[in-house]
Amino acid sequence: MTYLVADDLPTAPAGERLRALLARPGILQMPGAHNGQAALQAKQAGFEALYLSGAAMTASMGIPDLGMITVDEVCFFVRQIARATGLPLLVDGDTGYGEALNVMHMVRSFEDAGAAAVHIEDQLLPKKCGHLNDKKLADPHDMAAKIAAARKARRHLFIIARTDAAASEGIDGSVGRAKLFLEAGADAIFPEALNTADMFKDVARRLPGVPLLANMTEFGRTPFFTASEFEAMGYKMVIWPVSSLRVANKAQEKLYAAIRRDGGTQNMVDAMQTRSELYKTIGYHDYEALDASIVKTIIPEAMPQRG
C-alpha cells in the first residue's frame, strides 16, 4: 500500500531495524538511491536497506561534493526515501556539518527525518570524495569527540565512523584511528578508499569482530569486488553509492541529445519507463483507492499512432 496507511508502516525505529538486518548472517547490500523513485526501484528489486550518498545527492542538485550543503537539504532527501520505501537508510553525514553541537543537531535531524544510520568522516572542510586526492584529515581526537557527541545525541541511529587515512597514513593510521573512534562510541567502521584485496583483508584482520563497511564506487581507487567477495574479506556491509545516478544521468544525456538531433523523443520511446511501469512503481492506484472521490485512472498502454 502507501505510506499514508498507518498499518503499513514499520513500528520499530529505523536504527533498530538496521541492527536486526546486521544481526543476520551474510553481508548487507545497500545500493545508493539518489531520490525516492530510485529508492522504490531498489526496494522492488529486493534490497532491504539503502544508502544516500552525499556525492549523488549534491550531483543531482547540480553542485560538487565539497561539503557545501546543509543538514536541512539532506533531510529533504532522507524524508522522501524513508517515506517512499520504509527501508532502513544509511546517510552520508560528511564531516558532521561542524563540531560537536553541529554533529548532535545532525543526528537529531536525521533521526527525525527517518534515517537508520549515518557515517561521519575524519576530513576537514572543504571535504572531498574519499577516492580523490589531497584530502585534509582532522585530528583523530577531534574526530573522536564528534563520534562521542553523536553517540550522546542518538536514540537509535547506527553510527559509522569513516576514516580516510589509508591514503596518507597507511593501514596503521587507518586502523589506529578506527580503534579510537570505536572507543568513542562508533558502532561500525568505514575504511575508505582501500585499493587492494590485501588492504581490505588487513583492516578486517586487525579489527576482529567490528562491523565493517566497504565502498564499491565506480571510477575510484577500489577495483571491482562483488558483495560475496567483500563478505569473504570480512565485511558486513557494502554500498554502491553513485551507481543509480550515473546510470540515470547517462540515459538522460542520450535523451536530450536525441531530442536535439531528431526534434522529438520518437526514437527514444523504447528506452523509456512506460506510464504503466511508472504508476506501478509509485503505487498510483493504491493512492486512488484511498480516496473514493478519485475515479480510477485508465492508463494508455502504448503511444498513439498518427492517422
Side-chain angles (χ1 to χ4, degrees):
M1 287 294 291
T2 81
Y3 79 97
L4 297 176
V5 179
D7 288 346
D8 294 332
L9 300 179
T11 54
E16 291 182 10
R17 289 184 279 121
L18 180 67
R19 284 178 175 82
L21 292 175
L22 291 171
R24 303 186 317 192
I27 190 169
L28 181 60
Q29 301 180 42
M30 295 184 284
H34 60 284
N35 58 27
Q37 172 74 196
L40 280 170
Q41 290 177 307
K43 180 178 182 179
Q44 290 167 11
F47 290 100
E48 298 178 279
L50 301 171
Y51 176 62
L52 177 58
S53 157
M57 191 181 352
T58 53
S60 75
M61 299 164 69
I63 58 175
D65 183 24
L66 294 171
M68 297 161 56
I69 58 175
T70 66
V71 168
D72 285 345
E73 287 174 306
V74 180
C75 285
F76 172 80
F77 287 86
V78 174
R79 280 191 294 270
Q80 65 175 279
I81 293 170
R83 179 180 61 205
T85 68
L87 295 182
L89 177 67
L90 166 61
V91 181
D92 183 349
D94 284 349
T95 62
Y97 303 93
E99 300 307 319
L101 293 180
N102 306 87
V103 170
M104 296 175 81
H105 170 64
M106 176 195 71
V107 167
R108 296 274 11 92
S109 299
F110 283 8
E111 275 195 349
D112 290 345
V118 65
H119 68 69
I120 309 169
E121 65 204 46
D122 57 353
Q123 286 194 55
L124 296 173
L125 292 174
K127 56 87 62 188
K128 282 189 171 186
C129 167
H131 289 249
L132 298 180
N133 60 301
D134 294 330
K135 296 173 290 184
K136 299 181 180 70
L137 293 184
D139 179 272
H141 295 282
D142 291 343
M143 171 66 174
K146 291 185 180 184
I147 297 298
R151 182 70 178 245
K152 187 176 292 186
R154 70 105 176 262
R155 290 170 296 187
H156 60 79
L157 202 71
F158 191 80
I159 298 167
I160 302 175
R162 170 178 142 179
T163 177
D164 288 65
S168 57
E169 299 180 0
I171 296 300
D172 287 344
S174 188
V175 170
R177 284 171 174 261
K179 290 180 177 178
L180 186 62
F181 303 157
L182 289 164
E183 291 172 6
D187 297 302
I189 296 295
F190 174 4
E192 174 63 309
L194 305 183
N195 53 37
T196 67
D198 286 342
M199 292 177 75
F200 280 101
K201 292 174 185 176
D202 196 18
V203 170
R205 179 181 60 80
R206 295 167 67 173
L207 294 172
V210 176
L212 298 175
L213 182 146
N215 179 10
M216 190 56 260
T217 192
E218 303 85 13
F219 313 108
R221 297 182 183 274
T222 303
F224 279 111
F225 295 108
T226 65
S228 59
E229 287 172 326
F230 281 123
E231 181 180 358
M233 289 188 275
Y235 287 72
K236 189 62 184 176
M237 297 165 276
V238 57
I239 57 175
W240 295 267
V242 193
S243 309
S244 65
L245 182 79
R246 295 190 203 282
V247 170
N249 282 355
K250 197 69 174 179
Q252 287 172 170
E253 180 183 347
K254 292 177 181 178
L255 168 68
Y256 295 131
I259 295 173
R260 181 66 176 167
R261 181 188 65 239
D262 305 330
T265 62
Q266 63 273 16
N267 293 320
M268 292 295 294
V269 171
D270 289 344
M272 292 184 183
Q273 182 186 48
T274 66
R275 185 186 295 266
S276 178
E277 290 166 340
L278 170 61
Y279 284 7
K280 182 177 180 181
T281 299
I282 61 178
Y284 192 100
H285 293 311
D286 293 333
Y287 286 89
E288 286 186 329
L290 292 174
D291 190 339
S293 69
I294 303 174
V295 176
K296 184 175 180 179
T297 299
I298 298 173
I299 302 172
E301 291 299 324
M303 285 291 295
Q305 300 300 309
R306 293 197 295 189

